[in-house]
Amino acid sequence: IDLPPERAFAKGVLHFFITASVCVNFICVAMVMFVTVWGSGKALRGLDGSMDYAVDSMNDERTFIFTCFALGVLSTLGCMFAAAWVLMEESIAMCASVFLLTTMYMVGSEARRIRNRFYVPPGEEVSFNEFKRIDPADEIARKTLRTGSASPFKGLRDE
C-alpha cells in the first residue's frame, strides 16, 4: 500500500503503534507461556512446598502480564486509529476514530468493572497453611493403625 506522503505525522504514529503492538503482544504471549510452563512444572515436580511457591509466584506475575495484554490491545487499536487517518478521507476517519475511541473506553471500563467483581482484597484470600502442619509420617502411622498392616499401601490395590 502506498501511504500518502502529505500525512507524515499520522504515518509516524502508525509505525509507532505497529511496532509497539507487535512487541508488547509478543512479550505478553511469551510471559504467559513462561509462567504457564515453568510455573506448573515447578508445582508438579518440585520439592515439598513447591506448589504453594509456584502458585504464589504465578499470581505475582499477573500484573505484568495483564499490563502487557492491555498495552497490546490498546496498541492494536492505536494502529487502527492511525491507519484510519493515513488511509481514509477525513470524514470517514472521524467516524472510525469515534468507534475506535469508544472501543478503547469500553475495553478499559469493562476491564476495571470485571477486575473489581473478582478482586480478592488482601486478607481475604484462602491460606493453605493448615496443610503445611500435616506431617506425612503421621498420615502413614494413621493409615497403618486403620489397616492393621505395617504397610501404609495395603488396601490401595487389588491383590
Side-chain angles (χ1 to χ4, degrees):
I1 297 174
D2 289 331
L3 301 178
E6 68 275 3
R7 297 185 178 176
F9 178 74
K11 286 193 315 187
V13 172
L14 175 62
H15 291 145
F16 169 78
F17 278 122
I18 288 171
T19 304
S21 176
V22 169
C23 291
V24 175
N25 283 315
F26 181 81
I27 290 169
C28 181
V29 170
M31 294 304 110
V32 168
M33 193 277 307
F34 295 154
V35 169
T36 302
V37 171
W38 290 330
S40 61
K42 175 81 169 178
L44 295 172
R45 292 187 304 275
L47 299 173
D48 285 345
S50 293
M51 183 173 292
D52 292 337
Y53 175 81
V55 169
D56 290 342
S57 297
M58 291 169 80
N59 194 32
D60 291 343
E61 297 296 329
R62 287 185 324 160
T63 301
F64 178 72
I65 291 170
F66 281 136
T67 300
C68 286
F69 177 76
L71 290 174
V73 167
L74 294 175
S75 293
T76 302
L77 291 171
C79 290
M80 295 173 65
F81 184 83
W85 286 98
V86 170
L87 301 173
M88 298 177 185
E89 297 173 13
E90 281 189 28
S91 60
I92 305 299
M94 193 82 70
C95 290
S97 296
V98 169
F99 282 120
L100 288 164
L101 292 172
T102 302
T103 302
M104 286 179 186
Y105 171 77
M106 290 296 295
V107 167
S109 66
E110 289 301 300
R112 224 175 354 276
R113 181 186 68 79
I114 293 169
R115 180 194 179 275
N116 290 337
R117 172 175 277 184
F118 295 109
Y119 179 71
V120 179
E124 289 187 18
E125 64 269 352
V126 174
S127 170
F128 295 102
N129 289 332
E130 62 271 8
F131 293 121
K132 291 179 182 177
R133 291 190 297 265
I134 296 174
D135 184 3
D138 290 343
E139 290 301 308
I140 291 172
R142 273 189 228 122
K143 177 106 175 128
T144 301
L145 289 174
R146 246 190 342 256
T147 62
S149 166
S151 170
F153 303 107
K154 182 174 171 94
L156 291 180
R157 59 189 159 97
D158 294 340
E159 296 185 51

